[in-house]
Amino acid sequence: METWLGWPVWKLLGVGVLVVGLARRWPTGPVVLSAGGLTAWLAGMPLVGHQTQPGMLDTLGKAFVENRVITLYLLTLPAVGLAERMGLHTTMGRLMGRLTGVSLARLLIGFQMARVAMGALGLRLQGHVTFGRPIVAPMATAVLPSPAGEGAAKAAVAAAENYGNFFGQNLFPASAGCLLVAGVMKGAGYPVDVVRLALYAIPIVAVSLGVAAVQFVWLERQLGQRPDETADHATAPQDTRHG
Amino acid sequence: MAEGTSVLARLVGHPATLEAAFALIGALLWGYAVQIACDCRRARRMLAAAYWFTLGLLFGFGAWLPHWVAGLLVVGLVAVEAAGGVRTQATPAQAIPAPSGEISAPGWRALWPVLTIPTVTFVLAGLTALAGGEVGRGAVVGLALGGLVAVGVALVVGRFSWPTALAAGRQLTEDIGPLHLLPQLLASLGLLFTAAGVGTLLADGVQRIVPPGSLPGAAVAYFLGMTLFTALVGNSFAAFSVITTGIGVPLVVAPFGLDPALVAILGLTAGSCGTLCTPMAANFNLLPVGLYGLPDNYAVIRWQWRVAAVLWPSHLIVLGLFWLCR
C-alpha cells in the first residue's frame, strides 16, 4: 500500500487535470488552481507553510506578487483606450491607404524584424500592448480587402510579435535567457561565454524569420484571393481604407 | 551631467520605483472598482467591483502582505471568476460602445498617445543604458512612465475628462478580464510542478528510453524534453535548468564533445517552440486573445504551432551541420 501510494507517477495527475481542463475549455483560472492544488497535495505540501517547508498558499501568493511586473501593462490601457476613442482605427486606415506597397505580409514581416532588432538591443517589453493592439493590429486590418479576415490577421500580428520576441531576445548577450543559460551551464561544469551563446542563436532566428515569412505570405494570399466569397460573411461592411 | 545620469540609473534600479508603479496600478484598479460599483445598470456589479478591488489590493500592497494571505486572496479571485462574476457578457450595459459617437473629426492626433508609450519606453531604456543601468529595467519603468505620460497627452489632445480616461481603461481591462491573472497563476503552477519533481520525473523517464551512444537519439530526447516541459510550465527559462542538467549535459554535451554553448542555446529555443504551442504561456498566447478581441481562445496558438512544427526539426539540422563542420 505504501509503495503503491509512493509511486512517483501520481505527481503527474495535476498535469492530467491541466491538460484535460484546458482541452475541454473549462474556465482557465479554476483549472490552473485545481491542477496546482492537486500537485501540491500529492507532493505532500501543507496549505500554509512553516519555516522548513513552503506551503501551497505561500507559493501561490509569492509567485503572484513577484510576477506583478508581467501585468505592468495595465498602466498603459487607459491611454490606449482614449486613443481608440479619438478614432485611432480610422486614422490607421487612412495612413495605410496612403502608404502604397504595404501589404499584409510585408507589414507582418517588418513587425517581426523590428521586434528581433529590439531584442538584439536588449529591449524586452510587452509588445502586444505597446505595438500590437494599438499600432500594428489596426494597420493589419486596414490593408485587408474585406473585414472577414480580421480575426486571422490579428492572430497573425500576435504571432509575429511572439516569434520576434522569443527568438530575437537571445541575440542580446546580456539578455535574461543568455545569462540563465550561462549560469546553468557553469553550474553543470561547462562554463560558456554569453557572446558565443548570442552568436549561436543566429541560425534559429534566421529560420524563424524565413518560416514565418512563408506563413504570412500564405495568409495574405488566402485573405486576398476570395474577397467575394468572404464578403457574404462580413458582419461590419464598411472598409476603413476607403472611409 | 554624468552625475545626473547616474542618479537616473539609481532611480530606475531602485525597488521603490517599481513599487510606486504597482501602487498606481492598485489605485487604477480601485478606480475601476468604484466605477463598476456605481454603475446601477450592471448585473452582479458588487461581485465584479470586489474582484477588481481585491486585485488592486494585491497590486498596491502585495509586497507587505504575508505570502499566504496573498495566496488566499488569489484563490478568492479565482472563485469569483468560477462564479462568473467578472464575465463582461454578464453586463449588457457595456454593449453600447462609446467610441463611435466621440469621433467627430478623426485625425492624426489619435496617434500621439499611442506613439508616446514606445517613445518614452525607448528613451528611458536608452538613457538608463547610457547611465550604466540595466536596459531591461529601464524599459520596464519606461513602459509604466510611458503609460502615464500618454494618458496626459490623450487628456490634453482629446480634451477628455478624468472619468473618461478611467472608463476607457476599464473597458479594455474588463475585455481582457480574468486573463490578467493567468500569467501570475501559471508562474506559481510552474513552481509547484517543479517543487513536486515533475521535471526530474520527465528527465529520468527520457534517460531510460534513449539508446546510449546515439547523438541523434540524445539530441531528439533533449530538444523534445525541453519542448514538452516548457509546454507544461509555460516558460522555457523554468524548464531549462531541470532538463539541461537532467538530459542535455549528461546525454548530449558530455559524451559527444559538442560545443556546450551551441547545445545549450538550441535547447533554450527548442523550449521556445513549446512556448509557442501552449496556453500555459498565458501572457503571450492568451492575453492577446482578450487584448485583440479574438473570438477563439486558441486563435494565436492555432497560428503558431505550424511554425513551431517546422522550427523544431531545424534545431536538429543546425546541430547536425555544426557536428559535420566540426
Side-chain angles (χ1 to χ4, degrees):
Chain A
M1 190 66 189
E2 270 303 299
T3 49
W4 191 72
L5 277 174
W7 195 37
V9 178
W10 284 126
K11 290 174 187 168
L12 294 178
L13 269 180
V15 177
V17 167
L18 184 78
V19 171
V20 170
L22 292 178
R24 302 296 303 270
R25 304 191 182 206
W26 290 334
T28 13
V31 166
V32 170
L33 204 59
S34 29
L38 186 61
T39 305
W41 180 65
L42 290 171
M45 254 186 185
L47 204 57
V48 177
H50 34 82
Q51 275 143 350
T52 48
Q53 200 186 9
M56 193 238 156
L57 284 177
D58 298 270
T59 313
L60 183 63
K62 189 161 178 269
F64 191 90
V65 169
E66 280 177 359
N67 285 294
R68 280 177 299 172
V69 73
I70 304 175
T71 321
L72 194 76
Y73 64 84
L74 282 176
L75 270 182
T76 63
L77 293 183
V80 173
L82 284 181
E84 285 175 359
R85 289 183 185 208
M86 277 192 251
L88 178 68
H89 290 264
T90 323
T91 309
M92 282 300 180
R94 287 207 309 189
L95 179 70
M96 295 309 282
R98 279 192 201 175
L99 297 174
T100 48
V102 179
S103 67
L104 180 64
R106 284 185 195 177
L107 177 75
L108 292 168
I109 294 167
F111 180 45
Q112 188 186 348
M113 285 168 81
R115 292 295 283 134
V116 168
M118 275 182 238
L121 292 174
L123 285 171
R124 280 206 76 194
L125 34 97
Q126 240 305 345
H128 290 297
V129 184
T130 34
F131 306 105
R133 155 110 193 186
I135 301 177
V136 186
M139 286 166 105
T141 46
V143 292
L144 292 179
S146 91
E150 258 183 33
K154 285 177 179 170
V157 172
E161 153 70 26
N162 285 340
Y163 302 151
N165 179 21
F166 289 179
F167 300 107
Q169 59 179 282
N170 296 330
L171 296 175
F172 182 59
S175 66
C178 286
L179 294 176
L180 169 87
V181 170
V184 170
M185 293 309 282
K186 194 177 173 202
Y190 292 89
V192 295
D193 178 15
V194 280
V195 177
R196 237 179 136 69
L197 287 176
L199 288 176
Y200 279 136
I202 294 174
I204 291 299
V205 175
V207 177
S208 76
L209 277 166
V211 177
V214 170
Q215 188 180 40
F216 295 148
V217 170
W218 179 82
L219 171 75
E220 186 181 287
R221 293 248 171 98
Q222 277 266 307
L223 293 180
Q225 250 171 12
R226 37 191 185 108
D228 297 320
E229 231 176 282
T230 46
D232 299 333
H233 307 292
T235 45
Q238 90 276 8
D239 184 340
T240 42
R241 251 200 320 180
H242 313 296
Chain B
M1 185 65 198
E3 179 131 318
T5 44
S6 72
V7 167
L8 176 81
R10 259 183 290 153
L11 200 66
V12 166
H14 200 280
T17 312
L18 262 193
E19 276 307 323
F22 293 141
L24 268 174
I25 294 179
L28 195 66
L29 291 173
W30 281 1
Y32 297 163
V34 170
Q35 270 199 340
I36 292 169
C38 296
D39 183 356
C40 312
R41 296 164 299 174
R42 285 175 69 128
R44 289 200 257 190
R45 63 199 158 106
M46 283 308 163
L47 207 54
Y51 181 89
W52 296 109
F53 179 83
T54 311
L55 194 58
L57 191 71
L58 275 167
F59 265 96
F61 298 96
W64 290 280
L65 293 173
H67 289 318
W68 68 271
V69 174
L72 208 58
L73 289 178
V74 174
V75 172
L77 289 177
V78 174
V80 174
E81 181 196 338
V86 277
R87 270 201 305 253
T88 36
Q89 294 95 300
T91 59
Q94 294 305 111
I96 311 143
S100 53
E102 287 176 41
I103 310 165
S104 48
W108 302 112
R109 64 208 167 92
L111 282 175
W112 290 15
V114 157
L115 293 177
T116 303
I117 301 173
T119 309
V120 173
T121 309
F122 285 137
V123 168
L124 202 66
L127 285 178
T128 310
L130 285 179
E134 199 194 317
V135 193
R137 178 69 172 216
V140 165
V141 176
L143 182 65
L145 190 67
L148 281 185
V149 177
V151 170
V153 170
L155 285 177
V156 172
V157 173
R159 290 196 214 97
F160 290 110
S161 63
W162 277 104
T164 319
L166 211 53
R170 176 174 54 81
Q171 207 167 4
L172 261 180
T173 308
E174 283 200 281
D175 279 348
I176 308 174
L179 284 180
H180 288 304
L181 284 184
L182 221 44
Q184 280 127 307
L185 274 185
L186 291 169
S188 71
L189 182 60
L191 281 181
L192 286 174
F193 277 162
T194 312
V198 173
T200 31
L201 208 63
L202 197 70
D204 285 352
V206 168
Q207 273 206 358
R208 259 179 244 171
I209 299 167
V210 178
S214 141
L215 176 62
V220 167
Y222 177 43
F223 294 153
L224 204 59
M226 272 304 294
T227 311
L228 288 180
F229 194 50
T230 300
L232 265 185
V233 294
N235 183 345
S236 58
F237 289 10
F240 185 77
S241 66
V242 178
I243 301 297
T244 301
T245 45
I247 307 175
V249 169
L251 292 190
V252 188
V253 176
F256 297 104
L258 281 159
D259 189 338
L262 175 71
V263 177
I265 198 73
L266 285 176
L268 190 72
T269 49
S272 296
C273 289
T275 319
L276 290 174
C277 304
T278 178
M280 289 290 285
N283 51 329
F284 301 113
N285 296 342
L286 294 183
L287 175 79
V289 169
L291 199 61
Y292 297 48
L294 299 173
D296 174 16
N297 261 355
Y298 299 137
V300 181
I301 295 173
R302 208 181 294 286
W303 200 253
Q304 291 175 162
W305 75 263
R306 295 157 213 266
V307 165
V310 181
L311 211 51
W312 194 86
S314 52
H315 283 73
L316 295 174
I317 296 170
V318 170
L319 192 72
L321 285 177
F322 273 101
W323 169 254
L324 290 176
C325 301
R326 208 168 34 135

